[in-house]
Amino acid sequence: MCGIVGIRDAGGVSFSIYYALYALQHRGQESAGIATFDGARLHKHKAQGLVAEVFDSTTLESLKGDVGIGHVRYPTTGENRPENYQPFNFVFRDNIISLAHNGNLVNDRTLRDEFECGGQIFCTNTDTELIAKVITDEMRDSGCIEDAVHRCMRVLKGSYSVVMMINGVLYGFRDPLGIKPMCIGKTENGYILASESVAVDALGGKFLRDILPGELVCIDEHGIKSMQIARANRRAHCIFEYIYFARADAVLDGALVYDVRTRIGEKLHEEAPVKADSVCTVPDSGTAYAIGYSHGSGIPFVESLLKNRYMGRTFIMSTQKERERAVRIKLNPIREHLKDKSVVLVDDSIVRGTTSRRIIGTMRDAGAREIHMRIGSPPIKAPCYLGVDMPTREELIASNREEEEVRRRITATSLHHISLEALIDATGMDSECLCTGCITGRYPIPINGEEFIPAKIDFLDGTYQTKLEKFGDGSE
Ligand code: AMP
């Protein structure tokens, strides 16, 4: 999972990209980068760390130009090495190109072998560089960007939302199943492409719409063009974006994440009511669910765990010991709210089970009498190959355990995960619109011999449906 941004606007874009990346920081904390184009030259800066650590005003002032792209990285492919940070910048036949990617390819090994057999070299071990290779390979033959993106959509298998800048023209495209999110917004004098609508909000822009699966948009000095390159008979929006990854205030593919989560909370109460003194969230990821449970049940919402705001996501820590210590620093119980109380504890998901076990232990130490755990996702049973860092089946606590066994391990008084039906219902979509691979073990594309649901994808050959897109705000 990563966050991507592309902006074209008059008067310089580096500060706007910085604030947009700030709004997307939750999507990746390993590195941050910005590349801008000033009409002749590319300006770039990227480094390890959070957005606020990587950039200062001097750096941002040096990133000149009215068009640029940005990236925050959460690694799924490629190690934490400077050459793997994005945007990925290069020159091909005098074309100055910069590219940033959110997603994960599943045929990267095969593609890399093919390119290497043809004598090509690689500078990174990311799948993003493969996207760049496919693009330039096609540009070499046809010189046409639309053809190059068409080729990407034919040969890349996996998830990819991409922002790309070629000689100052901004492009954005999304894989034919729309696995990773990307939307478009209007800024004062231009447009923004971003992983989540919260980046548009951060700039005071107007959210226009989601980029469609299989769509390519192109933004230049004439305005914006949209081309539908591929059309599939289904979609596969990542369910985990709604469960955990996206910010609650984001609108993703037509659904406000906050509403999805509160609806799930209400449904958790319908599926597993319990008598208790309070409903408590695991902040912040459990909060909208807990509020929904409280609404549905009438049990008061009481904060009983306080989060240290200056602590990052514990999941990112690499060892189990580090993660366990981090959970203790991150969340502190309010003893006065817990002593002798029966509490409904609500969180978004259980993955390895470390967090829940540790939190329940802390709450019991603080005097809680009963802890009824309610979870906003069904049991996570299978790994994600499409961009979420979901561990192997062996590490997933629910992969081969029944709910009762998981309850025993995390030491909850009772445990209930939302049903898949209720989860899908809460998104307002139907199951053919979502990728639920981590829950069902059935993926929207063939991966490593795993079970999959075949999709039919039509490619629009020859001339593309190119039109100036009307966005209903007077702009063309
Ligand atoms: P655990 O069960 O200890 O592995 O941790 C699960 C918690 O980590 C969940 O409640 C989420 O809040 C968070 N989480 C789940 N999946 C991820 C992920 N892929 N990356 C970062 N955090 C995650």
Side-chain angles (χ1 to χ4, degrees):
M1 242 1 125
C2 296
I4 53 172
V5 180
I7 301 183
R8 186 181 176 103
D9 208 335
V13 287
S14 61
F15 282 86
S16 302
I17 296 174
Y18 171 78
Y19 290 120
L21 288 180
Y22 224 119
L24 299 176
Q25 184 74 82
H26 61 288
R27 299 187 68 85
Q29 297 92 38
E30 184 186 273
S31 69
I34 296 178
T36 59
F37 185 74
D38 68 3
R41 288 183 53 211
L42 192 75
H43 303 269
K44 52 192 188 293
H45 181 71
K46 51 185 177 176
Q48 179 172 6
L50 301 175
V51 177
E53 294 163 352
V54 169
F55 299 100
D56 58 25
S57 53
T58 315
T59 320
L60 289 171
E61 268 152 24
S62 72
L63 297 170
K64 305 222 178 298
D66 291 348
V67 58
I69 64 174
H71 186 266
V72 284
R73 174 173 150 95
Y74 165 98
T76 45
T77 305
E79 296 110 45
N80 182 1
R81 292 210 309 250
E83 63 269 27
N84 288 344
Y85 303 161
Q86 297 188 41
F88 186 54
N89 307 303
F90 54 100
V91 176
F92 178 74
R93 289 191 167 160
D94 294 335
N95 292 294
I96 302 173
I97 305 179
S98 191
L99 190 142
H101 162 220
N102 171 208
N104 205 49
L105 302 183
V106 295
N107 63 338
D108 54 329
R109 200 56 263 173
T110 321
L111 286 173
R112 189 172 278 261
D113 286 348
E114 282 170 18
F115 279 116
E116 286 178 342
C117 285
Q120 300 235 21
I121 58 155
F122 284 86
C123 305
T124 74
N125 59 3
T126 63
D127 50 356
T128 308
E129 192 172 2
L130 280 162
I131 304 179
K133 291 267 190 235
V134 173
I135 300 248
T136 51
D137 210 35
E138 185 65 35
M139 277 171 75
R140 185 189 52 176
D141 295 336
S142 74
C144 170
I145 309 302
E146 288 81 356
D147 284 346
V149 174
H150 182 150
R151 174 88 182 283
C152 281
M153 292 197 188
R154 278 191 184 274
V155 306
L156 302 178
K157 305 288 176 234
S159 62
Y160 49 93
S161 283
V162 174
V163 286
M164 181 169 72
M165 187 170 61
I166 305 185
N167 303 325
V169 179
L170 179 62
Y171 297 91
F173 57 93
R174 213 172 156 193
D175 67 71
L177 298 176
I179 300 172
K180 293 291 164 240
M182 179 152 67
C183 68
I184 185 159
K186 180 90 186 72
T187 54
E188 204 170 339
N189 295 299
Y191 292 99
I192 168 172
L193 302 170
S195 297
E196 292 180 31
S197 59
V198 292
V200 182
D201 299 338
L203 302 187
K206 182 175 166 210
F207 172 78
L208 296 174
R209 65 169 173 82
D210 296 288
I211 303 294
L212 296 174
E215 183 182 19
L216 164 68
V217 295
C218 162
I219 300 167
D220 61 15
E221 71 274 22
H222 305 298
I224 182 158
K225 279 187 295 188
S226 151
M227 287 146 264
Q228 193 64 43
I229 305 263
R231 193 168 278 129
N233 65 344
R234 59 158 299 170
R235 294 179 171 212
H237 304 316
C238 168
I239 192 70
F240 213 67
E241 288 278 351
Y242 294 97
I243 293 172
Y244 170 74
F245 221 84
R247 263 171 54 165
D249 49 343
V251 178
L252 292 188
D253 291 299
L256 172 62
V257 175
Y258 193 94
D259 286 352
V260 173
R261 292 181 187 167
T262 48
R263 279 199 289 270
I264 293 172
E266 286 166 9
K267 286 169 189 285
L268 272 171
H269 162 66
E270 283 164 27
E271 289 185 358
V274 65
K275 271 177 84 174
D277 299 306
S278 65
V279 177
C280 168
T281 173
V282 178
D284 297 315
S285 52
T287 302
Y289 299 97
I291 288 173
Y293 196 99
S294 170
H295 279 168
S297 62
I299 303 171
F301 172 81
V302 179
E303 287 187 277
S304 303
L305 290 168
L306 255 280
K307 185 176 167 184
N308 181 336
R309 283 165 194 250
Y310 302 97
M311 182 90 189
R313 288 187 162 179
T314 46
F315 206 96
I316 314 293
M317 316 270 157
S318 49
T319 69
Q320 187 70 2
K321 200 159 174 241
E322 272 178 19
R323 274 193 293 272
E324 295 205 1
R325 182 179 317 131
V327 169
R328 277 202 304 272
I329 302 169
K330 188 169 169 178
L331 294 172
N332 196 31
I334 303 179
R335 289 172 192 279
E336 293 70 7
H337 292 183
L338 290 168
K339 189 153 176 23
D340 300 326
K341 297 282 194 256
S342 169
V343 178
V344 181
L345 178 65
V346 190
D347 202 359
D348 62 286
S349 58
I350 298 177
V351 181
R352 297 178 176 90
T354 319
T355 314
S356 323
R357 195 180 55 246
R358 177 66 58 190
I359 290 172
I360 290 172
T362 310
M363 291 171 74
R364 287 204 192 279
D365 290 346
R369 183 166 45 84
E370 291 180 346
I371 300 168
H372 301 277
M373 187 100 204
R374 298 292 179 265
I375 301 294
S377 74
I380 304 293
K381 290 196 167 286
C384 175
Y385 303 97
L386 295 168
V388 179
D389 179 22
M390 285 290 188
T392 56
R393 281 191 167 77
E394 296 70 57
E395 289 175 274
L396 293 168
I397 192 170
S399 72
N400 54 10
R401 292 185 183 89
E402 295 301 320
E403 201 169 64
E404 172 54 20
E405 170 64 5
V406 175
R407 181 203 65 76
R408 219 177 43 73
R409 287 191 173 233
I410 64 169
T411 73
T413 311
S414 73
L415 170 66
H416 180 75
H417 292 80
I418 194 77
S419 65
L420 181 61
E421 300 67 41
L423 168 66
I424 292 172
D425 201 45
T427 66
M429 300 181 203
D430 51 39
S431 58
E432 286 90 73
C433 288
L434 294 162
C435 172
T436 55
C438 57
I439 297 162
T440 58
R442 277 201 314 279
Y443 300 87
I445 47 178
I447 307 168
N448 298 343
E450 299 271 12
E451 212 182 313
F452 77 102
I453 311 151
K456 187 173 170 310
I457 301 175
D458 292 324
F459 293 92
L460 306 173
D461 279 309
T463 48
Y464 301 101
Q465 290 181 332
T466 306
K467 60 181 186 317
L468 281 176
E469 181 77 16
K470 285 205 169 54
F471 282 105
D473 63 341
S475 61
E476 273 197 316

